[in-house]
Each structure stands twice: as C-alpha cells, then as structure tokens.
Amino acid sequence: MESPTRSAVLLGLLFGLAGTSTSAVTVALPELTADLGISVATGVWIISGYTVALAVATPTHGRIADMVGIRLPLCLGIAAMSLGALAAALAPNFAVLMIARIVQGAGAAAVPVLATALISARWSGDQQGAALGRIAGTSATLSALGPLLGGALEAFGGWRWALALPVIGLLAIPPLWRAAPGGGTGERIDKLGATLVAVAASGLVLLIQSPSAGQVAAVLGAVLLVVGVPAVVLRVRKRPDGFLPRAVITNAVVLRSAFAAAAVPASWFALLLGVPLAAASWGWTPLATGVLLLPAAVVGFLSPPVARWLLHRLGAHRALTLACPTAIVALLVSAAGGAFDSPVLLAIGVALVTVAFGVGHPAMISSVGAAVGGEQRGVALGIATLVFLTGASVGAALVGGLADVIGVPGALIALIALPVAGVTTLLLRRREPATT
C-alpha cells in the first residue's frame, strides 16, 4: 500500500464493487421478484433504495473524514457495504432485503469520496494523477463486467449469489487500515446540518428515480426536496462553518467541475441500463449481454495511462472539457446501435463512455482537490461526489422512465442535453487561476 499504483487498484476495485451492486443486481431482478413473490415495480426499489443511500451518505463520509481522519470512516464504510450485501443475500423477505440494501448503500458511499481523498492526501503531481486515473479505470472495468458477473452468478447459484458479490470487500480492510491516515480537525459534526442535507438529497434522488420507482417516490421526493432545500440554506447562513461550509459550496471551481463531471456517469449508467434493455428486446440472455460489454471492460483497464497523460498535458479543466464531448459521441453511437439493432455500435458506444469516465472522474477530483484547502478537502470531495453520483441516478432514471415511451434510442438522444450543458458550463467559465 506504499505504492500509489497498488493503492489505486485496490481502491478502484472497491469503487467497482459499489458499482456492481447496481449493474450486477439488475440482471437478477426477474428471478429475485419471482422468488420473493413481489412485482418487478416493487423489486426496483432495491436499486432505488441503494442509490438513495449511496448519494445521501456521501457528503457525510467526507465531512467525518475531515474531523477524524480517513481511516475509520473508510474501513467502517467498507464493512457496512460488505455485511449489508451478505444480509441482502440471506434476506428471508423483501423488508429485510430493503433494510440490508440501504445499509449497503450507506456504507458503499464511503468508497468513492474517501478513496479519492486518500490518494489526494498521500500523493501529489503526476503520481496523484496516475493513481486517480487508475481508480477510475479499474472501477469502470469492474462496473462494465457487472452484468456479466451478475448473469454468471445467477446462472450458477441464483439471485442471492449476485447480491453477495461485494462481500469480498472485507478483504481490503486490513491493508487500508494500515495505509489510510488517521487524525483530523477534531471538530464535532454538525448533526442538524447533516440531517437537513440528507433530507434534501433524499428528495432529489427519489424525485430523479421516480420515473422507474413510481408515483410514491415522486411525491415523497418532492416533499423532502421542498422542505429540505430551504432548511439547508438557512442552516448554512446560520452555521457557515458547519456541515456544508459556505466557502466550499460557493466555490465556483468545485461547483462547475462537479456539475460538468456529473454528465459523464449520467451517460455511463444510462448505457449500463439501456444496453441490457436493447439486448433483451433482441432476445439476448443476461450472460450474452455481459459478453457484449467486455470490450468496455478492456478499455477501462487500458484507460489510466491515457487519463494520466491528459491530466499532465492538458490540466484538470481541459481534460474534463474533453470528457463531455466524448460522452456525447458515445450516446449518439449507442442510440444508433439501438435504432439499427447493431450490437457492434452498442459495444463501441459503451467503450467510448468508459473512456469519458476514465478521464472525467480523475479530472474532477484533481480540480476540486486543488480548489480548496486540505482541511476542507474531504467535504469538498464529498459534495462533488454527491453531484457526480446524482448524475448517475439521472442517467439511469431517464432511460428507465423514457425507454417505454420513446424507446432506448430516443432516451439516449434526450440524455445528450446533460453533457452538452456540462461542456457549455466549462467553456463559459470566468477567468480563474488555472488548476491542475
């Protein structure tokens, strides 16, 4: 763990496990719902519940890490992710399954934000850029393999095996406990601020998920959002150094980088859902769909050197600006693949969006990390990662909600608006000090 490459690979595998908790489980939903005697609409809540918990808990882990150090929240988060997956796999009914998935998501939220915080704290310059690229590439590789792994595990032992995959994350705790720094500012956490942020974030993610999760999610999300957002604004005014430091949430670089980068996982998760939907319409099995995504896994494995070179030569801002147009091309190619029933075009589209993810995520982390002081890096990365993961929810929700109305190709075309908005935001920025 003294090597940035080894550390990045391990952290990237954990990040990928958090992603496969969605991609590997999706292919097992038909068997799961039939076995538990629930409808598919009800079963989708195990995806939505996990996503909500993942997004909501992300800034909390970042803030706790600022206060007590990275080691404890990272290791506890991995333990919760792994044990939650085990409990989900052994769940006797849907109620227990939902609780386990929420615990799993809350724990998994520690991985994206604290993995990048760990790399940012221990290394700098080219080593940091290379490590961040390796995390993104490794996680993209494993996430792309999610449908294949889920399909294979389902075929081998049923849906419970697909849910149990993240249990292997427990093996990472001993080396990370030794490698992750302890100690922090020692401040007490702003519990009321954290609660209000959780309420607002839950409302936003539920509202985004409502096209696939149903009317109840839409109403509950709208209520939580309407109540939570004004309350968060008032809390920040009263406690500018509280759970959401005003200096961070008003930092233009942090906000701009996070918003633009969010378009990349939106495109990525849209394809992770859209490609299986298109393949299923052709009569393909989940295992065959997983094989279709193998080229993307290879691209993810090979992308870290590209990300490192781009960050070194272009800087974080320009590299992120390049990732958004790549996502646009990926969506266009994939939409064409769906429209013309072309597996080749779908495979190329997913490979392209994997490149965008492999470049965009480390560029965002590098940009945000350079824009704030070390004492606020954890919460800044937490907020940026929250926006980043919310983008993933948007992508999945749009495809899930619009595919039945305008088809998968139409949904992917509609989603192009997000990376277009992202690249526009980056190109129209005011003059600011360059960050790398």
Side-chain angles (χ1 to χ4, degrees), residues 262-275:
V264 176
S267 307
W268 169 241
F269 272 76
L271 293 184
L272 282 183
L273 181 59
V275 169

Side-chain angles (χ1 to χ4, degrees), residues 143-306:
S143 295
L145 290 173
L148 178 62
L149 292 171
L153 289 170
E154 181 190 25
F156 173 76
W159 63 268
R160 296 183 184 274
W161 283 81
L163 265 67
L165 181 61
V167 170
I168 61 176
L170 290 171
L171 299 175
I173 292 179
L176 287 176
W177 182 265
R178 294 191 296 269
T185 62
E187 300 176 34
R188 297 175 64 88
I189 191 168
D190 176 14
K191 296 179 182 178
L192 179 58
T195 301
L196 295 176
V197 170
V199 169
S202 297
L204 176 61
V205 178
L206 280 172
L207 200 57
I208 291 168
Q209 291 284 335
S210 61
S212 58
Q215 187 174 2
V216 174
V219 174
L220 181 58
V223 171
L224 292 178
L225 197 60
V226 169
V227 172
V229 171
V232 169
V233 172
L234 291 175
R235 187 62 179 175
V236 171
R237 289 178 179 174
K238 184 176 181 180
R239 288 280 303 273
D241 57 345
F243 184 77
L244 287 182
R246 182 181 294 174
V248 172
I249 63 174
T250 58
N251 187 304
V253 175
V254 173
L255 297 179
R256 185 178 294 112
S257 299
F259 175 76
V264 176
S267 307
W268 169 241
F269 272 76
L271 293 184
L272 282 183
L273 181 59
V275 169
L277 287 175
S281 69
W282 304 335
W284 286 30
T285 65
L287 197 58
T289 303
V291 173
L292 179 64
L293 297 178
L294 277 178
V298 174
V299 170
F301 181 77
L302 298 176
S303 65
V306 176

Side-chain angles (χ1 to χ4, degrees), residues 1-29:
M1 291 300 293
E2 292 301 317
S3 163
T5 300
R6 293 177 182 175
S7 299
V9 168
L10 178 58
L11 293 168
L13 289 173
L14 288 169
F15 198 163
L17 282 177
T20 58
S21 295
T22 295
S23 60
V25 171
T26 301
V27 298
L29 272 179

Side-chain angles (χ1 to χ4, degrees), residues 255-264 266-267 317 320-321 323-325 327-328 331 394 398 413-429:
L255 297 179
R256 185 178 294 112
S257 299
F259 175 76
V264 176
S267 307
H317 177 82
L320 186 54
T321 305
C324 289
I328 294 172
L331 290 172
V394 171
L398 282 178
I413 291 294
L415 191 63
I416 289 175
L418 294 182
V420 168
V423 73
T424 301
T425 299
L426 293 170
L427 293 175
L428 295 180
R429 69 169 184 169

